[in-house]
Amino acid sequence: MTATTVSAATDATGSADPACCEPLPVLGRDVTVPLVTGSDVTYAALDYAASAPALQRVWDDVAAYAPYYGSVHRGAGYLSQLSTDLFEQSRATVAEFLGCRPADQVVFTRSTTDSLNLLAAALPAGTRVFVFETEHHAALLPWQRATDAEVVCLAAPHTPEEAVAALDVALHGAPKGPKLVCVTGASNVTGELWPVRELAAAAHRHGARIVLDAAQLVPHQAVDISELDVDWVAFSGHKLYAPFGSGVLAGRADWLREAEPYLAGGGATRTVVRRADGQVETEWHTTVARHEAGSPNVIGAYAIASACRALTEAGFDRLEARERQLLKVLRDGLAAIPEVRVLSLFGEDSARVGVLSFVVRGWNSSHLAAALSAEYGIGVRDGLFCAHPLVRRLLGTDTEDLGACGSPDPGAGFNGNAVRVSFGAGTPVEDISRFVAALTTLVREGAAWTYATEAGRCVPVAPGA
């Protein structure tokens, strides 16, 4: 089984030179898409925050393994044994990638959402969960369904320091009992970095635990559980250049070991016995198997492990430096368009990863995203980004009216949703420049085609007059 090698460009001293480094090879880089004009153009994928394209390295690794696919933890045959070893080696790779402590567990799930729902199901009775209203729905909502848990929703802070202070005050006033803090590492709306280490310190000062939603952080920066001193980390493979329906919950074992299994079924059980009274008596595993019932997604787990290796070998220092360059090109371009307002919680100078949302005065955001796709072959995201309270807070509106999908009204304000541009290790700088040029043309000259709302989406319907 072989895989392609991803290596950083180097200067004469052998050190990585971010200015000359090419993007990492990803699938779909040369895919062409049709435009409304009838021509084709190479697709510019700028929606990494939703699902990043698979690294070529990951695809090659999975393709090399596919002929050897077998049942995990279920068979004595060679392919089953090979698959089992590969699955458990993938778990060890992820643990190393995250800097897990010796007693930590790595549970494979379906996604970040699944991971946080798993943790919510494992909360001890009477747990108080502290979460900012700024969270993605995957981190905001699972606790509402937790049995016998109380959720304390904290208002959006205006600075990282305010976030730490607000959490400190909330925890100080909380009654005794188990407490959990859930916080993002990087916002899926603004890309802004949160003060995770400081929040963890505040949590631990008051006897609380903390789980880090790293879905938008782990593709962009190294995440080390020990260094950040968080209790759990959750993330998704499809954000980490391994889009195969797998995720991770890594961290402390005790709450997971003591909780009822997340799913009841084969693989989670030690023994199942039918008693004389006809009832079934079950003894559950106390290891990670307790929450991995059913046949596991071995390809998904292996894809995540492959992505972890590829990013580690490429070097996060190099990847971060390159991403800062792309961010500068993007932000300089947007700053040159007066009608654009970039959304920010902590201020325009706050550190962020390659995620940025904005609105354009007079434009319906869905209309703008549709025109970028139909007329320029550029894929971005529009909407509320599964973070409705945060986007509405940033826009200063609670309206459900997203505005009409039609000709821009220069005199109008901003409508009730936004456009998001997101990129990463596989994005060439040309895609960012191309986006800025297309946006500039649309704002200055308008769309070339007429657009209307059909089945809830803004779509081109006819050439403009």
Side-chain angles (χ1 to χ4, degrees), residues 97 217-223 311-312 314-321:
F97 179 74
L217 183 62
V218 73
H220 302 277
Q221 296 188 3
V223 173
L311 293 176
T312 299
F316 273 105
D317 287 346
R318 168 216 170 184
L319 296 176
E320 287 181 49

Side-chain angles (χ1 to χ4, degrees), residues 242-308:
F244 297 100
S246 194
V248 166
L249 177 65
R252 296 180 62 157
D254 52 351
W255 283 8
L256 297 177
R257 184 174 56 243
E258 294 158 10
E260 287 295 307
Y262 186 45
L263 298 173
T269 60
R270 284 179 182 269
T271 60
V272 178
V273 178
R274 188 171 185 267
R275 301 193 310 243
D277 62 3
Q279 298 300 308
V280 173
E281 186 174 291
T282 305
E283 179 185 359
W284 303 101
H285 278 299
T286 58
T287 63
V288 290
R290 185 181 187 86
H291 298 294
E292 291 183 346
S295 295
N297 181 1
V298 59
I299 286 182
Y302 183 49
I304 287 179
S306 173
C308 290

Side-chain angles (χ1 to χ4, degrees), residues 436-454:
V436 170
L439 179 64
T440 301
T441 299
L442 285 170
V443 174
R444 296 286 179 267
E445 303 176 11
W449 283 61
T450 299
Y451 292 78
T453 301
E454 294 182 3

Side-chain angles (χ1 to χ4, degrees), residues 157-160 190-193 324 327-328 330-332 334-338 340-353 355-358 394:
H158 295 98
T159 65
T190 67
E192 291 169 307
L193 296 172
R324 284 193 296 271
L327 265 171
K328 186 177 188 310
L330 175 61
R331 298 185 73 173
D332 287 351
L334 294 179
I337 308 174
V340 168
R341 177 162 75 89
V342 174
L343 303 185
S344 175
L345 189 63
F346 297 150
E348 63 179 45
D349 294 329
S350 57
R352 70 177 73 208
V353 297
V355 178
L356 186 148
S357 297
F358 65 94
L394 295 174

